């Protein structure tokens, strides 16, 4: 499945809520959405008898403390999936859940195209075999920004979701709403400039707004330019 729908997060939420969970997903593009996707998967795989503990479980996932949510690569400083990671993934995928609240396990493989040379062939062959005959209690989430490097044989066995950057109009509307909730006076031109500077990243837009709010409660384009360190176009002309 290939989708570029900007409401894909809502689609996944509905699918998980209805129990329509695939065994493998591949997420392409902006990775800021991964935490939410991973959390949703962890909630789905837990036993229905533990719904009362949902908040506790999602908090443990977010803090990296859930024993049945396994993130690769293990060495974050190198940001490379090693041969040891590959072997561990295959071995761990056939083990039953460790946590009493889990009915399954989730494996998140970040930078899934980052293995090279002999390691890449080993990784692809072992992963492909596991995806062809996946254990019923396992969900794989592969993340990449270079989809062209992921073999077609692996892609064909995953549900694919392409996350694109947020449009400037949507960002402007959101920062205007947040400014109103925070008691700030944000002008239309100020919101538009924040949206352009954020370049599709809501987190960056909120960071700019927060910086401006630190000096004044009335934020217009001039304040945004000053705090963001950009020059008015009139100077260029």
């Amino acid at each position: 499945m290939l989708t570029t729908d900007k409401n894909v997060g809502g689609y996944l939420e509905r699918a998980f809520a209805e129990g329509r969970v695939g065994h493998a997903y591949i997420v392409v593009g902006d990775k800021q959405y991964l935490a939410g996707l991973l959390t949703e998967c962890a909630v789905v795989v837990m036993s229905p008898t533990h719904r009362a503990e949902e908040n506790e479980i999602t908090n443990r996932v977010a803090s990296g403390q859930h024993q049945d949510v396994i993130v690769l690569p293990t060495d974050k400083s190198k940001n490379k999936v090693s041969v040891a990671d590959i072997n561990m993934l295959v071995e761990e995928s056939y083990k039953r859940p460790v946590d009493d609240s889990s009915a399954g396990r989730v494996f998140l493989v970040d930078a899934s195209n980052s293995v090279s040379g002999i390691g890449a062939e080993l990784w692809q062959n072992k992963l492909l075999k596991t995806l062809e005959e996946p254990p019923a209690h396992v969900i794989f989430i592969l993340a990449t920004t270079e989809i062209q490097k992921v073999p077609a044989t692996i892609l064909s066995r995953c549900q694919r979701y392409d996350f694109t950057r947020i449009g400037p109009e949507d960002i402007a509307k959101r920062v205007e709403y947040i400014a109103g909730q925070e008691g700030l006076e944000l002008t239309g031109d100020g919101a538009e400039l924040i949206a352009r500077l954020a370049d599709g990243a809501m987190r960056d837009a909120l960071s700019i707004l927060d910086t401006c709010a630190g000096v004044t409660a009335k934020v217009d384009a001039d304040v945004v330019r000053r705090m963001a360190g950009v020059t008015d176009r009139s100077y260029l002309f």
Side-chain angles (χ1 to χ4, degrees), residues 1-234:
M1 177 185 296
L2 169 61
T3 177
T4 54
D5 189 341
K6 66 179 180 180
N7 294 317
V8 65
Y11 169 80
L12 287 172
E13 283 186 324
R14 291 192 298 274
F16 293 149
E18 296 170 4
R20 294 184 286 106
V21 183
H23 71 275
Y25 299 88
I26 187 159
V27 182
V28 186
D30 198 328
K31 297 178 182 179
Q32 63 179 310
Y33 295 91
L34 285 177
L37 178 60
L38 179 58
T39 301
E40 289 292 340
C41 285
V43 171
V44 167
V45 300
M46 72 179 179
S47 170
T49 59
H50 291 80
R51 285 292 176 184
E53 302 173 14
E54 182 172 322
N55 288 336
E56 177 190 345
I57 291 174
T58 54
N59 288 337
R60 285 163 53 201
V61 171
S63 62
Q65 301 301 311
H66 201 294
Q67 298 181 81
D68 291 312
V69 178
I70 301 169
V71 182
L72 301 177
T74 52
D75 187 348
K76 300 297 183 288
S77 62
K78 294 182 179 179
N79 196 32
K80 293 284 186 180
V81 180
S82 67
V83 174
D85 286 334
I86 298 167
N87 293 330
M88 187 269 281
L89 178 144
V90 174
E91 181 181 345
E92 291 292 326
S93 66
Y94 288 95
K95 292 181 179 179
R96 302 303 303 174
V98 176
D99 198 291
D100 291 338
S101 67
S102 299
R105 313 193 84 187
V106 177
F107 292 84
L108 170 62
V109 184
D110 197 3
S112 55
N113 53 271
S114 63
V115 189
S116 58
I118 297 176
E121 185 176 354
L122 174 65
W123 157 245
Q124 292 164 10
N125 290 340
K126 286 197 172 186
L127 178 61
L128 183 59
K129 183 178 180 181
T130 306
L131 291 178
E132 286 176 339
E133 302 174 0
H137 61 279
V138 170
I139 298 173
F140 294 101
I141 303 175
L142 313 180
T144 182
T145 54
E146 298 179 275
I147 190 64
Q148 71 278 5
K149 293 185 179 181
V150 179
T153 50
I154 291 178
L155 284 176
S156 66
R157 288 162 176 79
C158 300
Q159 290 188 29
R160 173 178 166 180
Y161 294 95
D162 289 49
F163 290 113
T164 57
R165 290 183 173 270
I166 305 171
E169 298 84 3
D170 292 333
I171 291 182
K173 289 179 181 178
R174 187 61 180 173
V175 293
E176 285 179 336
Y177 169 77
I178 293 174
Q181 294 295 305
E182 296 296 324
L184 302 173
E185 186 180 342
L186 176 62
T187 63
D189 59 352
E192 291 175 2
L193 182 55
I194 289 175
R196 291 202 304 272
L197 294 174
D199 192 25
M202 185 65 73
R203 182 169 15 185
D204 291 346
L206 296 179
S207 178
I208 296 171
L209 178 63
D210 187 50
T211 300
C212 295
V215 296
T216 178
K218 183 175 181 179
V219 181
D220 57 17
D222 288 335
V223 173
V224 174
R225 290 191 192 94
R226 187 168 71 250
M227 300 311 297
V230 296
T231 304
D232 189 339
R233 291 180 181 178
S234 62

